[in-house]
C-alpha cells in the first residue's frame, strides 16, 4: 500500500497551515493534522498547523531538507510515522478532518480521512 521510502531524500519543505515535504522521487507528504517533530537531541515539538507558521517551527522544518528517509509507517488507526536519518515526524488521525495525505506520480494517493480511515487511489498506468 505504501511505497518503500528507505534511502529517499527530502528535497524541499514548506510550512503554511500544513507541513509539506517533497522527496527526490516526486512524492509529496502533506501533514495537516496534529504533527509532532522530533529532531535528534531535542525535545519533541508540536507543530501548530491551525495558525500562521511560527519562525521557530519553520526553522525546525527547514532542517529536514537533505535528510534521508529510514522508513514510513501507517498504523491500523491511521497514525503516520516518518523516520528520517536525524528526525521523526508523526501525525495522529483526527475525528473531524483529513489529517495527512501522500501523493505520488500518476495520481497515486493515500489520504487519512476523518476517523483515521485510509482512502487510496492507485497510480494510473501510462497511456490510460
Amino acid at each position: 500500500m505504501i511505497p518503500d521510502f528507505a534511502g529517499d531524500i527530502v528535497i524541499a519543505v514548506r510550512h503554511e497551515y500544513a507541513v509539506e515535504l517533497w522527496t527526490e522521487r516526486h512524492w509529496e507528504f502533506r501533514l495537516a493534522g496534529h504533527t509532532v517533530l522530533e529532531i535528534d537531541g531535542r525535545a519533541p515539538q508540536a507543530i501548530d498547523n491551525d495558525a500562521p507558521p511560527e519562525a521557530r517551527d519553520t526553522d525546525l522544518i527547514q532542517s529536514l531538507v537533505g535528510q534521508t528517509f529510514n522508513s514510513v509507517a501507517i498504523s491500523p488507526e491511521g497514525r503516520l510515522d516518518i523516520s528520517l536519518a536525524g528526525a521523526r515526524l508523526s501525525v495522529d488521525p483526527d475525528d473531524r478532518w483529513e489529517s495527512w495525505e501522500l501523493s505520488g506520480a500518476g495520481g497515486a494517493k493515500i489520504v487519512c480521512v476523518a476517523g483515521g480511515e485510509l482512502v487510496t487511489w492507485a497510480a494510473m498506468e501510462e497511456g490510460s
Side-chain angles (χ1 to χ4, degrees):
M1 168 154 83
I2 189 163
D4 179 9
F5 286 95
D8 210 348
I9 296 172
V10 177
I11 61 165
V13 296
R14 182 172 65 186
H15 181 225
E16 191 170 314
Y17 297 100
V19 174
E20 296 173 297
L21 302 156
W22 287 270
T23 76
E24 66 183 339
R25 290 188 301 141
H26 308 290
W27 284 88
E28 176 186 350
F29 290 84
R30 185 171 193 284
L31 316 176
H34 177 73
T35 303
V36 175
L37 172 60
E38 294 179 61
I39 295 179
D40 289 351
R42 302 184 83 159
Q45 174 71 42
I47 305 297
D48 186 358
N49 288 323
D50 293 327
E54 294 184 26
R56 169 194 77 216
D57 293 345
T58 301
D59 289 346
L60 287 173
I61 292 162
Q62 288 296 323
S63 74
L64 301 176
V65 173
Q67 290 213 22
T68 302
F69 282 82
N70 291 330
S71 64
V72 176
I74 303 169
S75 76
E77 297 79 28
R79 177 186 169 102
L80 176 68
D81 288 298
I82 301 169
S83 174
L84 302 168
R88 284 155 303 290
L89 287 150
S90 60
V91 186
D92 290 323
D94 190 282
D95 290 335
R96 299 173 298 163
W97 314 105
E98 295 175 352
S99 57
W100 60 266
E101 66 181 64
L102 172 60
S103 304
K109 187 178 271 196
I110 303 170
V111 178
C112 182
V113 298
E117 179 183 353
L118 301 181
V119 178
T120 62
W121 290 264
M124 293 177 23
E125 294 181 29
E126 284 190 43
S128 297

